[in-house]
Amino acid sequence: MARRTSRNAPPSSCPCGLSSSYADCCGRFHSGTVAAPSAEALMRSRYSAFVVGDVEYLVRTWHPRTRPERLDLDPGMRWTGLEILETGGGSAFHSGGTVTFRASYQGGSLHERSRFERVDGAWVYVDGEFLED
């Protein structure tokens, strides 16, 4: 599996769009010191993992039944922003949730409704449905 490269060094501000620094926001989830407390937090941290090229985190936070055997990121992909459009469930009181988002990249955007579930108390990504803009 690919690992984070120096090209993908962690940024000072968090790529997920929140005002915190990367280290205080998604970086703490990526390092494994704390788990994402909600489906939205996991979605944001997974987007940030795509930005910094953290394949290990993406695989670790993918549901075991839908996780691909291999994940190769496109080194030419440049993610430019994340917009959370809607959330459903996904809090400390839920076992599942959805997050609808638009992730922008150089040359376009990806619009998806992602499903999340808890496995052994931790939020994981299950799958997503691509939506029309």
Side-chain angles (χ1 to χ4, degrees):
M1 268 181 213
R3 294 184 58 89
R4 201 179 307 180
T5 65
S6 59
R7 176 190 67 77
N8 295 325
S12 56
S13 61
C14 197
C16 81
L18 297 179
S19 61
S20 300
S21 70
Y22 170 77
D24 290 336
C25 195
C26 294
R28 62 196 173 116
F29 304 137
H30 294 175
S31 70
T33 57
V34 65
S38 67
E40 180 180 343
L42 182 64
M43 171 59 235
R44 288 180 177 280
S45 68
R46 285 178 57 82
Y47 169 81
S48 292
F50 276 103
V51 172
V52 302
D54 192 342
V55 172
E56 288 182 14
Y57 181 77
L58 292 166
V59 170
R60 186 172 74 237
T61 59
W62 210 309
H63 197 291
R65 78 171 182 263
T66 59
R67 180 185 304 142
E69 287 184 30
R70 180 182 170 115
L71 181 60
D72 294 314
L73 300 183
D74 178 352
M77 180 65 86
R78 297 291 177 256
W79 296 99
T80 59
L82 175 66
E83 180 183 8
I84 301 296
L85 304 172
E86 182 179 16
T87 62
S91 76
F93 303 105
H94 300 102
S95 59
T98 60
V99 178
T100 304
F101 67 93
R102 182 172 293 110
S104 300
Y105 56 88
Q106 282 184 333
S109 67
L110 171 95
H111 188 187
E112 181 178 310
R113 180 178 304 109
S114 294
R115 291 187 320 126
F116 299 88
E117 292 178 7
R118 284 186 188 259
V119 172
D120 297 328
W123 286 105
V124 293
Y125 170 78
V126 177
D127 58 20
E129 170 189 4
F130 292 114
L131 304 172
E132 298 290 325
D133 278 326

